[in-house]
Amino acid sequence: MDLPRQFVIREGDLRILNPFDAEKLATLGRALKLAPGTSILDLCSGKGELLCTWARDHGVVGTGVDISTAFTAAARQRATELGVAEQVRFVHGDAAAYEGEALVDVAACVGATWIGDGVPGTLEILARRLRPGGMALVGEPYWRIEPPDQATVEGCDITNRDDFQDLPGLVGLFGEQGWDLVEMVLADQDSWDRYAAAHWLNLRRWLDDNPDDPLAGELRQELTEDPLRHVRYRRDHLGWGVFALIRR
């Protein structure tokens, strides 16, 4: 059980594997008023930057679960680098099926609601891991501008316009599922650019070093097509944010 190599190559040395920068992640941590000892379960934790930096800055404790062996190893290394390896741990496994040992104060799934086949199912997974009154964190795309045609929808890496809500629709969906929205931090076009463009550089460096790899043709095509797709479609039409929710 692991992520395909394409994901590891594309993310390269990035620490945050979504269109958030370090300042936005820090802003979110401050906005949530995290107390020392707050317990967090981070499903699809990537390279562990949320848990590791919040453990350093706020004294939280917790567990991250991710299907990627490479990302899990990087998260453990990051915990050691920041001196928080006694506060956080990282588990390689299926985030959707992870049970854990105890209920937590904060359960997060930032940018991977596919684990529950969308927002409603992911909120159900998070709710099962939360203590009464606990907080869920969901990272999710939304339409900044209504897509005018199917080409725009597909340029944002989906096939169905209804796979994403606009921002009012997403906030309304949280309420329909029985949750109060209590905080949010949204990506902007610059953080989208930093994330997308970092992929292009990672791909180009890898292609230069691995011209005969079996993946070279596929990743060459991605590098050729993705910059135009980003500036034509994703950058203007697609937003992204992390939303803090408490069940009613």
Side-chain angles (χ1 to χ4, degrees):
M1 179 173 57
D2 210 339
L3 276 181
R5 274 200 307 144
Q6 295 94 317
F7 290 86
V8 178
I9 294 165
R10 187 182 299 115
E11 301 296 346
D13 60 356
L14 287 173
R15 295 193 187 279
I16 301 173
L17 310 186
N18 52 58
F20 244 29
D21 56 29
E23 182 53 40
K24 288 186 182 297
L25 184 61
T27 295
L28 179 63
R30 292 191 299 268
L32 298 180
K33 302 177 174 63
L34 298 166
T38 297
S39 58
I40 300 178
L41 174 63
D42 189 6
L43 299 180
C44 300
S45 51
K47 296 184 182 180
E49 195 71 358
L50 181 152
L51 273 176
C52 289
T53 57
W54 289 4
R56 177 196 62 192
D57 297 341
H58 304 286
V60 307
V61 298
T63 298
V65 184
D66 200 276
I67 198 172
S68 168
T69 54
F71 294 168
T72 301
R76 291 169 179 159
Q77 180 179 358
R78 184 62 165 159
T80 299
E81 289 174 358
L82 295 186
V84 296
E86 298 300 314
Q87 296 166 247
V88 297
R89 69 186 186 104
F90 294 94
V91 177
H92 171 244
D94 180 357
Y98 182 76
E99 293 296 333
E101 299 79 24
L103 301 182
V104 298
D105 300 311
V106 178
C109 181
V110 176
T113 58
W114 49 263
I115 69 168
D117 294 321
V119 170
T122 299
L123 285 172
E124 290 180 10
I125 292 171
L126 297 177
R128 292 198 295 267
R129 306 306 312 144
L130 281 174
R131 66 166 181 78
M135 181 182 294
L137 299 180
V138 174
E140 181 71 359
Y142 60 88
W143 293 117
R144 292 182 65 246
I145 301 173
E146 180 72 19
D149 49 36
Q150 184 63 18
T152 301
V153 171
E154 294 177 6
C156 292
D157 305 312
I158 57 174
T159 58
N160 188 337
R161 180 254 176 261
D162 293 333
D163 287 348
F164 297 147
Q165 307 276 342
D166 61 12
L167 187 55
L170 182 57
V171 172
L173 178 61
F174 296 144
E176 291 167 9
Q177 298 300 310
W179 296 77
D180 288 323
L181 177 63
V182 296
E183 254 299 352
M184 66 180 188
V185 177
L186 304 182
D188 54 29
Q189 288 178 308
D190 182 66
S191 53
W192 262 120
D193 291 346
R194 299 281 58 72
Y195 184 51
H199 288 167
W200 309 333
L201 183 57
N202 289 339
L203 291 172
R204 177 54 197 260
R205 296 299 189 218
W206 184 89
L207 286 165
D208 287 346
D209 292 339
N210 301 274
D212 300 320
D213 190 281
L215 286 177
E218 174 187 334
L219 296 183
R220 174 68 259 176
Q221 183 176 356
E222 179 178 338
L223 177 57
T224 301
E225 296 175 354
D226 193 69
L228 182 58
R229 183 165 55 242
H230 174 70
V231 299
R232 177 174 286 168
Y233 300 119
R234 189 189 304 128
R235 190 177 191 272
D236 287 334
H237 290 87
L238 201 59
W240 195 90
V242 181
F243 303 87
L245 308 162
I246 298 177
R247 201 156 200 176
R248 291 173 184 162

